[in-house]
Every structure is written in C-alpha cells, then in structure tokens.
Amino acid sequence: METHRELEQALKRIHRRGYPAYKEIRGEYRFPFYTLSIDHVQGDPFASPSRLSLRLTGQQAAFPRELYETPCRRIALQDELIRRFAAGAQKESFRVKGSGHSGLIATSRCTQQVVERTACRIDPRTGEVLFRLEMGFPASGRSVDGEGLRRMLLDQLPALVKASLLYNKEKDGSRFASLAQMADDRQYIRDHLAERGLCAFVANGSILPRASGVSDRPMEGAVPFFSPPEMEVCFALPHRGEIRGMGIKKGVTLIVGGGYHGKSTLLRALEDGVYDHIGGDGREFVITDPSAVKIRAEDGRSVWHTDISLFIRDLPTGRSTRCFTTRNASGSTSQAANVVEAMEGGARVLLMDEDTSATNFLYRDELMQRVVSPGQEPIIPFLQRVRELYEKWGVSTILAAGSSGSFFHVAHQVVQMDRYMPRDITARAKEEAARFTLGLVPAPEGKAPESRRAPRPFAPFRGERVKVRAMGREAVTVGKEEIDLRQVEQVIDGEQCAALGYALLYAHRKLLDGRCTLQGAAYQVEKIMDEQGTEGLCQGSLPFLARPRLAEVLACLSRLREMDR
Ligand code: ADP
Ligand code: MG
C-alpha cells in the first residue's frame, strides 16, 4: 500500500496528460487517519463519477462501542454519518472547476427514512467504518487536472472526514447518544407491538401529512394527530419514558370519514411506518408491523403461476386460477395477486385504500348479487374473505374506505377521520350495521394459497456484464428487462430500486433453478443481506444501494415480465 505522499507524486506525474491517465492512480493509499481506496476511475469527465471508499479502523473512527453494538443503533449511526458527510460534501462540491462532473464530491442521498445503505457500514465487532463516496475527477479540457484532484483528495477530503466521520465527544457526543436512544425507543415499540396485540402505533403529536405530493418533508401548520381515548395505549420506553398514542389492534380495522378528512394520509403514514424516520420528520413514532404491505390494484402487471383462487374462480376463459398467469392483469386479478404475494412474503398486515383499489375486488352489493348470479361472477370479494384472512391465517387488514358501509359488518374496529382527528366510532357503526342486513350469498370456505412459482433462471441474465440501472424510484432495468415498480408503493427511493434490481439478478444467477420458488429465493436474498449487507448481492465496485424489505424483493422477483418466455 502506498502513502498519501506517493499519491501526491503520482498526481504530479499525470498532470496535463490525457484523461485516461487517471486510471493509473487506482489502488489504496494510507492517510493519517484512514485508508483511501480508489476503486473505479471514470473514463471521461462526463461519465458517471469515479468511486472511492474510505476505511477507518475502530481506533481511528473512535466511536464508543455502545453506539453501534445493536443493529438498530448501528443503522442509526451509519445513517447519521452519511447525512453528515453529504452535507459537508455539498458545500465542498465543485470548488474545483472543470468540464463534466469535475469537482463533484457526493455520497448516498438519504431520504426521510433511516435505512441501511451501502454508503456506510460499521463492523459491529471492531467498530471499523467503511464509507463510500463518488468524485468527479477534474479535467481541464480533455486532460487530467492533477493539481485539482490533489486539492480534492489531499485537502478537501481529509477535512470532510475529520468533520463528519470521526467521533468527537465534546462537539457531538450528546447528539450521537440521543440518536442511539431514539433508535432504542423505536425498536422497543416495534418489538412489543405484536405481544400487545397491535399492528400499528401512532404517537400523539405525530405530524402525518407531507409538504406536497412531491416532497416527503412534514407539512407546516398541520393538525397534529391525537388518539381517540378508547384506542389510546401507552408504552414505557427505555429512554424517553411514557409515550401515548393510538394503538391499532390486530384484526380488521376500517378508517372511514368524509372526503378530504385525512383517511389516505393516515394510511400512507402507516405504510411508511414500516421504516424508521429521522428526527423532525413528524413520523418518528409512527410504527407499523414491519411486515405490513400496501395492497392496491395494479392493472397491466404480469402475474406468474399464482394461486388467486381465494378471490377469483372460474374465469370466463375456463382457465384455472390456482395457477394463474397473465401478462396483463385486470384491476381485480392484479389486486388478488398482490394479496397472495404479500401472504407468501409473510405479511401479517395488509394496508388498503379504497382510492387505489378495484371496486369489484372489495365488495359487491346485494342488488348486483341478485342480478348477476354468483355462478356468473368469478370474484369472491375481499369483504367476504377479510375476516377469514385474520381468523385462519392471522393476517390483519387496515382499510381506508369512504363509500362502502358493508365493511362495518366485518370490522373489529372503526376509526372515523374527522377534520384530521380520529374518532373511535366502532360501537355506533356496529349498532347501525346490526339494523342493516347485507344479504350476501355466503362464500365457499377459502384454502390457503398454494403457489408453486419455481421459475428457471432467465437466460439473458447469465452473461458476463448485465447492467442494473434504477430509473428513479419508478423502475429498475436489469439488462434489457424493465421492472415497473411505480405501484409497489413502499419502495422509498432509487437506491432501493437499484438494490431490488441486484436482488433479481442475484436470484436468477444463483438461486433459481426450476426448483427454488420465488418465495424461497426472496428469503435467501434476505439472509444474504442479513449476513453481508446489501453489498452481498453484487460484485465489483459497488453502487449506492439502500436495503429493501423482503416484501419488495418478492414483489420485484414476481414482476419480471419475461419469466415465462
Ligand atoms: P381523504 O383520503 O380522507 O380524502 P386525504 O388524506 O387525502 O383525505 O387528505 C386530504 C388533504 O388534507 C391532503 O391534501 C392532506 O395533505 C391534508 N391533510 C391531511 N391530514 C392533515 C392534517 N393533519 N393537517 C393538515 N392537513 C392535512
Ligand atoms: Mg383518500
């Protein structure tokens, strides 16, 4: 390994040579308080920036062990280090000028969520910090600006590392300690939800609405959330002490209310409650069962070998729905497939909004049942399965619905959103419902879905160089295949999308062999990420990735359109 002085010499040597001469400085260099590794050098000033990583030993970084010894604390600390570095890098970026990306210094772009990202990894045993960043190696015209890169690597970077990646007790010891405590408190609620009979908790004082449809920051001047007295629960947190808020019990929960009264906003907060959030977000203590999955209609999606017979039987085409395949699902078949997929992934809670559901999937009224006989209707509406899902398989549902009263009959609890304030109207809703018979034809008993989805590896993914590219949080392309993730609503950003692409590629290269099911592959991907981090899914110089949940991995694996080719 060479020293930073030798790096300085090398930069002098290649100064003003053709841009490809930068390739010569790939390698590792020892700096006073870290090791710098130049992993990938961009081919020209306009190509994606060069990739670098920093390694700080436990002694160099000097974070006290208690800040990273449990997974939740480690993830919170890693997240904080990325944010610190990113904030500093933004100020330092482009001080060195030139064409293309010259002068850029950047790392992962964090969202409001606190998730594991490949940008920073702390070894829980040794405290070693591995940090990844990218830099636009500067060019003057088409040639190397060695002096510019010297400033970036030998002046700017060491200052950034010092300010953001080293533990300084006097300066921010208390900030780090409070982050760790917050992580413990959130984790405490998550760990105790199930045993308290809950599938979600929304703390009093939470701010649920977001600033706008395109911003995930909290809305200013929003009405804070307060639990109805009947639903209030209290957790005694290890650091913060008592916290009160609305506890949503397991079972079937209905969120009703007039249009624009905040139903969807509450549901969206619950969807996002599977993730942790940074301080100041407003949803710090909105905690949902981590397996909860948003279910929606997704017409046009492809479905492959999925048993949707719980909801759909006897299609007019005569095709069996115990092993249903289509390249273009309807609203109701797509929503049915989404439920089955969620159950395969071990979801204990389904989150649904009437706004994004297929109406005929949710319910059918009495008059329609009389006119169109059950023999002609392939759909058994969700209304007739929702209790069964809970009673037989322990799968709870939280449904936001403004227009169908039929669900009052099957709900265990009913919350009304009234000018953004929740009220428990269970008793009154039940009373009214008792006077109002539904007159539904009973549905035949359901069998647990039995999917035998064991695809063979997709041949085009076998080759040497298959590129994975996220298109924002909307889709990911793997080789020539595009996986549409727009309707997989709990994906947080492009880095998670990219990770899903790598998971798909990994599954097709290493796991799927015609015997392993998609479900089995998703669980194995999860195991790799537990053991090696998301980095375990790819080789070579590593992009910025955010760790996805098992549910989204399975969703991505299930949406490869060409699986049946
Ligand atoms: P619904 O689903 O009941 O029709 P939404 O949840 O879509 O209603 O909310 C309607 C509007 O009210 C949205 O623009 C949302 O941002 C805003 N809103 C929701 N909750 C609050 C709140 N607590 N304070 C202020 N505005 C809110
Ligand atoms: Mg709505």
Side-chain angles (χ1 to χ4, degrees):
M1 196 191 311
E2 300 184 88
T3 67
H4 62 291
R5 292 289 158 229
E6 285 160 310
L7 175 61
E8 202 169 3
Q9 291 307 316
L11 287 170
K12 275 202 182 117
R13 198 170 64 236
I14 61 172
H15 187 56
R16 294 206 186 290
R17 280 176 49 195
Y19 199 85
Y22 269 139
K23 302 264 185 216
E24 290 176 21
I25 61 164
R26 257 189 314 220
E28 295 202 342
Y29 302 93
R30 208 168 33 240
F31 277 66
F33 43 91
Y34 58 87
T35 303
L36 168 73
S37 170
I38 301 176
D39 302 319
H40 166 80
V41 175
Q42 62 201 104
D44 67 77
F46 294 89
S48 356
S50 304
R51 293 188 190 143
L52 300 86
S53 53
L54 306 166
R55 196 180 293 276
L56 291 78
T57 64
Q59 275 170 344
Q60 287 170 328
F63 286 98
R65 177 170 295 279
E66 71 260 19
L67 291 181
Y68 57 80
E69 66 191 346
T70 62
C72 74
R73 285 183 164 214
R74 176 174 56 80
I75 291 167
L77 177 58
Q78 289 171 179
D79 176 84
E80 173 71 3
L81 296 186
I82 301 172
R83 288 173 200 274
R84 281 171 179 248
F85 186 93
Q90 200 171 13
K91 292 197 201 108
E92 292 298 318
S93 251
F94 303 118
R95 293 243 162 121
V96 171
K97 314 269 183 226
S99 52
H101 297 297
S102 291
L104 170 90
I105 308 175
T107 181
S108 240
R109 286 154 199 81
C110 291
T111 54
Q112 294 292 101
Q113 291 79 9
V114 177
V115 293
E116 216 170 344
R117 293 179 187 271
T118 52
C120 181
R121 188 162 180 80
I122 300 172
D123 185 325
R125 283 157 314 173
T126 61
E128 181 180 271
V129 177
L130 185 64
F131 195 89
R132 298 188 170 88
L133 64 144
E134 56 184 15
M135 275 191 175
F137 284 1
S140 48
R142 293 251 157 227
S143 50
V144 164
D145 175 6
E147 169 51 22
L149 191 56
R150 191 205 60 77
R151 267 175 63 203
M152 292 174 74
L153 292 177
L154 286 109
D155 300 340
Q156 290 183 297
L157 190 56
L160 271 173
V161 173
K162 212 168 197 166
S164 59
L165 303 183
L166 302 184
Y167 183 68
N168 179 334
K169 186 156 191 253
E170 281 72 53
K171 204 164 116 258
D172 31 40
S174 64
R175 157 107 186 140
F176 282 121
S178 80
L179 279 172
Q181 295 182 349
M182 170 114 136
D184 289 349
D185 284 348
R186 283 188 303 232
Q187 192 62 36
Y188 182 88
I189 299 177
R190 239 185 253 293
D191 289 345
H192 290 80
L193 271 181
E195 70 186 45
R196 295 276 297 266
L198 301 175
C199 45
F201 174 77
V202 184
N204 290 342
S206 293
I207 299 296
L208 308 188
R210 301 293 96 191
S212 75
V214 292
S215 164
D216 203 29
R217 303 172 73 84
M219 174 191 276
E220 275 177 40
V223 179
F225 187 94
F226 278 94
S227 171
E230 302 88 334
M231 297 178 74
E232 195 171 85
V233 295
C234 176
F235 283 94
L237 301 182
H239 304 288
R240 206 178 198 260
E242 285 195 350
I243 187 168
R244 289 171 191 280
M246 182 169 90
I248 299 184
K249 290 205 195 74
K250 293 179 190 174
V252 179
T253 303
L254 202 56
I255 303 171
V256 298
Y260 225 65
H261 278 258
K263 301 182 295 296
S264 298
T265 302
L266 171 57
L267 194 81
R268 271 197 298 273
L270 296 172
E271 288 164 27
D272 217 61
V274 300
Y275 298 111
D276 291 339
H277 294 90
I278 51 168
D281 175 84
R283 299 169 296 186
E284 293 94 319
F285 289 101
V286 179
I287 313 273
T288 310
D289 182 302
S291 71
V293 175
K294 170 68 180 290
I295 302 292
R296 57 168 296 158
E298 194 180 342
D299 38 326
R301 71 158 282 192
S302 65
V303 176
W304 189 77
H305 288 202
T306 305
D307 178 3
I308 56 169
S309 61
L310 201 52
F311 302 105
I312 321 254
R313 299 169 321 148
D314 311 322
L315 288 174
T317 52
R319 277 192 294 164
S320 159
T321 54
R322 288 197 69 85
C323 189
F324 181 72
T325 294
T326 177
R327 289 183 170 206
N328 188 5
S330 66
S332 52
T333 48
S334 63
Q335 196 158 358
N338 285 349
V339 172
V340 172
E341 236 166 64
M343 288 171 75
E344 279 183 348
R348 290 177 299 268
V349 183
L350 307 178
L351 302 167
M352 264 189 225
D353 194 329
E354 201 183 57
D355 291 353
T356 51
S357 291
T359 315
N360 61 345
F361 176 76
L362 288 185
Y363 58 84
R364 188 160 65 250
D365 67 16
E366 194 183 348
L367 185 55
M368 187 59 93
Q369 283 217 359
R370 278 197 209 161
V371 178
V372 181
S373 78
Q376 292 168 295
E377 173 51 270
I379 302 174
I380 295 166
F382 190 70
L383 172 67
Q384 292 186 274
R385 286 286 186 232
V386 63
R387 281 292 278 258
E388 205 178 353
L389 286 182
Y390 178 63
E391 282 152 14
K392 272 199 191 149
W393 301 301
V395 178
S396 298
T397 296
I398 303 175
L399 171 71
S403 70
S404 170
S406 317
F407 280 92
F408 287 143
H409 290 270
V410 292
H412 292 104
Q413 48 190 345
V414 183
V415 184
Q416 178 182 359
M417 292 306 289
D418 183 1
R419 271 161 284 179
Y420 315 131
M421 293 300 278
R423 293 199 289 136
D424 181 347
I425 59 159
T426 312
R428 197 164 65 78
K430 285 288 178 190
E431 208 175 287
E432 292 289 335
R435 280 191 244 132
F436 213 93
T437 50
L438 271 187
L440 295 177
V441 180
E445 205 183 318
K447 284 204 201 100
E450 198 187 291
S451 296
R452 295 171 301 270
R453 305 196 291 153
R456 280 187 296 280
F458 182 52
F461 291 167
R462 287 263 125 160
E464 269 295 290
R465 284 180 61 80
V466 177
K467 271 206 174 150
V468 174
R469 233 180 89 222
M471 332 279 273
R473 63 126 350 265
E474 319 260 279
V476 61
T477 57
V478 182
K480 292 201 175 84
E481 305 303 315
E482 181 178 311
I483 294 58
D484 184 350
L485 296 166
R486 272 174 304 179
Q487 323 265 39
V488 182
E489 292 184 306
Q490 286 163 294
V491 171
I492 57 171
D493 67 359
E495 295 186 12
Q496 209 178 44
C497 254
L500 290 170
Y502 283 102
L504 178 73
L505 189 58
Y506 186 91
H508 277 270
R509 284 182 162 170
K510 302 254 171 79
L511 306 173
L512 299 173
D513 53 7
R515 281 187 307 254
C516 174
T517 60
L518 290 181
Q519 179 190 30
Y523 278 95
Q524 287 197 53
V525 163
E526 172 109 319
K527 189 158 162 264
I528 306 255
M529 293 193 293
D530 279 342
E531 287 164 4
Q532 304 169 29
T534 319
E535 15 318 46
L537 300 176
C538 38
Q539 309 139 330
S541 81
L542 200 72
F544 297 131
L545 304 175
R547 179 168 174 171
R549 297 188 308 159
L550 177 101
E552 281 73 36
V553 171
L554 188 53
C556 181
L557 293 180
S558 307
R559 277 164 182 72
L560 177 64
R561 283 194 167 270
E562 302 307 322
M563 207 142 48
D564 49 348
R565 202 161 48 186

